[in-house]
Amino acid sequence: MSDQRVDVRVLPLWERAVAIDAAFDDLCPTETLTVVTNNDPRALMSRMEQLRPEQSVWRYRRVGEGEWHVTLTRTSGEAAEASIQGLLRRSFVFAVLDEPARTRVANVATERTARKNQIIVPENAEFPSVGIVWEGVIALVSGNSGRERLLYEIFPFETFGEGLFFDEGMTTGRFVALSKVVRYVTIPRQNVRAIGLQKPELLLSIGTSCAQRVRMLASELTSQASQPILGRIAAALVPYAIPERGLTPALAPLSHMTQAQLAASAGTVKEVAARAIAELELREALRRERGHIRYLDREKLLKIVENP
């Protein structure tokens, strides 16, 4: 297996996607490309999925402040299968398993759907499963309607409920559908645990996912304690801004998110977020249509994050 590496931190933002595309297209099935970048790579991965659907298994790690490692493995034809088995092959947690073990997981998994703003798991509730997002975005939200806080988003192929898998506690917030429609899969905790005891690499993979959540939450808390609101709103928008030059269409489900939800992701209230969004529009970091944010300029957003 070939393992290639490209560090895009030295490139302008609008050249990064082209460099990654070229390196990925040179890969043969099962070969791996590691991308080193200095900001949240989920928009980049969403772009890759749009342009090269079902061609890669990817996982990302926030190694430290300003450094992310994204591992892209080019798939063979069977990974693109539109089934729970295919989803497991592309989930960075369950991709570590061999085919027989993934088949065991698929046999006990249940496919579910939710509509926008539907509560998937309530706050302070039991969730004796591990979930995987198949389509759309789910958010973990805490607090009441007067002062909600969006702790983090879960994008396609990412898991949720990993912390509960280990400590069997109650949810620290409620899992809510952010997209118009969300498809996801749940796998009973006891089945995952039984397979993990036989395949320790699965437990390590779930633990890695938990560690990444802790890193992200710690960074968000630090940012909310020290950064002005303009920078916090800009940071909340970055995962939806693709690395192209100038204003480009924002990734879903941003166009359906409310100002209250954006405020919750930045740890503030709707009125304060509204003023920050208006300021970002004046700076041409975003553009709204019919009251919803439709276009983002990733380069300007990142500059505002660094220097509000």
Side-chain angles (χ1 to χ4, degrees):
M1 179 183 294
S2 172
D3 189 358
Q4 301 181 40
R5 181 184 177 97
V6 56
D7 190 337
V8 299
R9 291 175 295 180
V10 298
L11 299 175
L13 284 174
W14 56 88
E15 293 182 8
R16 295 180 181 186
V18 175
I20 294 169
D21 290 348
F24 180 80
D25 288 343
D26 285 341
L27 297 178
C28 294
T30 74
E31 290 185 337
T32 296
L33 170 68
T34 298
V35 178
V36 182
T37 184
N38 54 356
N39 46 63
D40 191 315
R42 285 178 292 183
L44 184 64
M45 296 302 98
S46 295
R47 175 190 175 278
M48 174 73 73
E49 184 64 19
Q50 288 178 352
L51 297 180
R52 293 164 176 76
E54 302 178 330
Q55 292 184 26
S56 63
V57 174
W58 54 272
R59 65 184 302 164
Y60 62 87
R61 295 187 301 121
R62 182 171 185 155
V63 179
E65 187 63 32
E67 184 168 344
W68 301 70
H69 292 184
V70 186
T71 303
L72 290 156
T73 302
R74 188 150 196 169
T75 63
S76 50
E78 73 273 6
E81 178 187 351
S83 64
I84 292 177
Q85 188 84 333
L87 171 67
L88 294 171
R89 292 191 190 101
R90 302 197 61 211
S91 164
F92 64 81
V93 166
F94 290 94
V96 299
L97 294 175
D98 57 25
E99 202 63 22
R102 279 198 296 269
T103 299
R104 288 173 58 194
V105 175
N107 287 340
V108 296
T110 302
E111 181 182 349
R112 306 178 189 274
T113 60
R115 297 287 177 178
K116 181 183 175 183
N117 294 328
Q118 181 178 336
I119 295 176
I120 294 168
V121 187
E123 191 165 354
N124 199 35
E126 292 184 352
F127 182 55
S129 304
V130 174
I132 312 174
V133 176
W134 198 336
E135 179 184 334
V137 178
I138 293 172
L140 179 64
V141 180
S142 68
N144 55 43
S145 57
R147 187 73 178 188
E148 288 186 333
R149 175 161 292 182
L150 194 157
L151 299 177
Y152 56 78
E153 297 114 321
I154 306 110
F155 283 69
F157 313 117
E158 296 180 355
T159 53
F160 59 99
E162 311 97 310
L164 309 178
F165 170 83
F166 286 109
D167 71 4
E168 299 187 4
M170 301 293 189
T171 54
T172 54
R174 54 194 176 276
F175 291 104
V176 179
L178 278 189
S179 303
K180 202 170 183 179
V181 177
V182 171
R183 292 173 66 206
Y184 64 101
V185 162
T186 57
I187 307 152
R189 178 193 298 155
Q190 67 268 24
N191 295 93
V192 178
R193 183 166 293 161
I195 293 170
L197 291 174
Q198 297 175 356
K199 303 284 185 179
E201 60 270 26
L202 175 60
L203 300 181
L204 179 60
S205 190
I206 295 172
T208 300
S209 181
C210 286
Q212 287 295 299
R213 297 285 187 214
V214 171
R215 281 184 181 272
M216 292 175 69
L217 283 171
S219 176
E220 288 298 320
L221 289 173
T222 301
S223 171
Q224 291 180 15
S226 61
Q227 193 174 38
I229 186 60
L230 194 68
R232 284 151 55 186
I233 292 292
L237 293 171
V238 166
Y240 301 96
I242 63 174
E244 301 287 349
R245 198 167 195 171
L247 285 167
T248 53
L251 294 172
L254 184 62
S255 61
H256 300 291
M257 288 176 67
T258 65
Q259 286 188 346
Q261 288 172 327
L262 283 172
S265 68
T268 187
V269 294
K270 177 181 176 181
E271 294 75 18
V272 176
R275 291 195 292 271
I277 291 169
E279 175 64 23
L280 290 172
E281 191 164 29
L282 284 174
R283 297 193 188 191
E284 298 182 337
L286 62 84
R287 191 168 81 217
R288 288 178 288 184
E289 292 180 354
R290 297 181 180 178
H292 290 280
I293 300 172
R294 303 287 186 183
Y295 297 87
L296 297 172
D297 187 318
R298 187 178 179 92
E299 183 183 18
K300 288 183 179 178
L301 287 172
L302 288 171
K303 286 181 178 178
I304 290 169
V305 170
E306 295 171 2
N307 186 19

